[in-house]
Amino acid sequence: MPNPSVKNHLQGQTSPYLLQHVDNPVDWYPWDEEALARAQEEDKPILLSIGYSACHWCHVMAHESFEDSETAAVMNQYFINIKVDREERPDLDQIYQLAQQMLTGRPGGWPLTMFLEPIKQAPFFGGTYFPPEERHGLPGFKDLLQRVAEYFHTRREAIQSQNERLLDAFGDLDARLPAAEVEGLNRAPLQAAHRQLAQAFDSRHGGFRGAPKFPNPSSIERCLRDARGEHLTEDEKQQALTMARLTLEQMAQGGIYDQLGGGFCRYSVDEEWRIPHFEKMLYDNGQLLVLYRDAYRLWGSGLFRRILEETGHWAVREMQSPEGGYYSSLDADSEGHEGKFYVWTREQVRALLGEEEYALAARYFGLDQPANFEGYWHLYAATVPEALAQEMKVPAPGLQEQLTAAKQKLFAAREARIRPGRDDKILTAWNGLMIKGMAAAGQALAQPVFIASAERAVDFVRAHLWQKGRLLVSYKDGRAQHRGYLDDYAFLLDALLELLQVRWRDGDLSFAVDLAEAVLERFEDKAQGGFYFTADDHEILIHRPVPLMDDATPAGNGVLAWSLLRLGHLLGEVRYLKAAESTLKAAWKSIQQTPHAHCSLLKTLEEWLIPPQIVILRGGGEELETWRAVAAAEYAPRRVALAIPLEAQDLPGILGEYRPQGTAVTAYVCSGHTCSAPLTRREALKEHLATQGR
């Protein structure tokens, strides 16, 4: 056990992940000038350990190695040990994950364990999780430490040579072309991406490829948008719809979704979505709320509506701070065991429910089948309510009421358990994703609680994480820190544009313009096109990436270019449109190589080729809201609709030209460079939208 009297250099940090290690016997430092200087002065390699608080295997390695005094003594003797929260320092995580893949030829992950030379902080060896003793083909960590230390001091020339090759390889990673060299953009990558996604699609269980299976929100969104695009045949459009719907249905019915409390886990360890890696991340749930909103608009499914309601209430109940910002994640573990909070025995369920209720719940949740998680049952929807009602010969409404009652009893009992840990730092980028998700869900459901939740988060970010014209990354315990990255600006700008379509606030539009101007000033590569992940005054690291490909979150360049394109069309601001176009051209080579990995940039490409439909409503009161509902009633991914009240003043750009006609609501509809005459009848707006496409 760690000695509670021993404190290391992580004291005073706010990151819950770093503070989990403050009592380790390891002499941990945060990534700072003191640690880097000491490594150079003592000529010691740096042991860099990157993880996050909800990471199960990070906890395992901490318990096995970092809490062990003998292992810590070796670490302290031979290394300067630096612990990094990947959520606070995604710049470091991106760089060293890439380096790990280059050095080992294997995918990265967390915990990430890298050994760096002290001068340039270039890595010379690395991996992810290492066990305390040799097993499963992995060396024991303590033995590995001694071998790495010896290698560092005896093979300096080899390390230097390898580092030079590695740094050259980082330079080769930039797949951009100078924007001026790209003659034209076309729809070919949109068509190719559909073919690639269709090839990878699991036609039985939904999702892409086999286990482990991640939600891949950007890919699902691409499928939905394909169905409304102009680049596919009718058969291909139907195929895209089927891919999206099956995936969203299977996820909603699977164990990756919390069937009692709402919200999605990070991924499924099996191809059927049944057993998750139990951590819940804010970024997944924000993106999935938008997708289920779109699916609900398309199909009107009661299942999709329920997912929106339950996940939105989960976010308000468990993830929103009293101050307004959203927390980062819920741990996979409770009481030292992964998933313990979520799993059941049959006896536990039977004790809570009546006999008839239990028979119903057992069939619905798969309790009548063998245990599916380490001798316990993790709940998933083994059937659908309609089929179960037919099978049990009961009316569907009555069965649904019984199911709801059973869920409520199980949820109440689960609430009395020891909860998983919560990472309660507030991250700007992830708040942007959840603000957009809550705004989308609130609009689709006409749920003011969700819209108000999104507003509170915006107000929190603006009050605490927007300082002197710059965003900061993270907030906890009254402290905001770390200058913002590209994702912070891109995701928040995107969220503001979504929220403005749900309800109008003058301050949100001005905030969006301020974000756009700040990111253009600090992040844009004006010579080659595109945007760096770090600002122009950021700490100099071994690589300055320009992220183009989507990951668990969409690429910052894709989201930003999309947002600049929409804001540029709304305001008539040519600089924003040109920055988006330059980003597409700079990324064109990379997009053509792997189209399906660039879905957020493909969304921008699609809207660059066919400009969005802009609907501006001017009026007041309840009548304005009924017109807004008309514009938002269907799935129309290329439509931007703003309902601006009569009292809105000093509208920027061309928005000021859309004036109300007296006190009645007036609609202006523009597609590309053509605008309709002002529409003053709601039925006329419906007819116009029906004939002008979506």
Side-chain angles (χ1 to χ4, degrees), residues 500-571:
L500 280 164
Q501 294 183 75
V502 177
R503 58 93 195 97
W504 179 268
R505 289 197 308 187
D506 292 347
D508 287 350
L509 180 61
S510 64
F511 191 16
V513 172
D514 288 342
L515 291 173
E517 294 296 331
V519 78
L520 284 170
E521 178 185 356
R522 293 289 185 179
F523 292 82
E524 188 179 19
D525 183 345
K526 292 179 172 54
Q528 194 162 344
F531 294 84
Y532 291 107
F533 188 70
T534 54
D536 55 3
D537 57 353
H538 189 74
E539 168 191 6
I540 297 175
L541 302 171
I542 62 172
H543 181 51
R544 192 183 180 197
V546 179
L548 303 175
M549 295 188 189
D550 302 315
D551 200 349
T553 55
N557 269 278
V559 176
L560 182 63
W562 150 268
S563 300
L564 288 174
L565 205 56
R566 291 215 146 179
L567 192 60
H569 282 299
L570 282 169
L571 304 183

Side-chain angles (χ1 to χ4, degrees), residues 569-635:
H569 282 299
L570 282 169
L571 304 183
E573 179 51 76
V574 176
R575 290 183 301 120
Y576 299 167
L577 301 176
K578 285 185 174 178
E581 181 183 5
S582 294
T583 301
L584 284 171
K585 288 184 173 180
W588 191 238
K589 176 183 175 183
S590 185
I591 291 171
Q592 288 179 305
Q593 288 172 342
T594 52
H596 71 294
H598 296 78
C599 287
S600 57
L601 275 164
L602 292 183
K603 186 166 70 167
T604 312
L605 171 64
E606 186 178 28
E607 205 146 288
W608 186 86
L609 294 169
I610 305 174
Q613 181 187 64
I614 305 292
V615 180
I616 304 297
L617 308 173
R618 297 302 309 272
E622 293 183 6
E623 188 182 4
L624 180 62
E625 290 306 308
T626 62
W627 284 58
R628 187 207 304 271
V630 168
E634 62 180 342
Y635 175 61

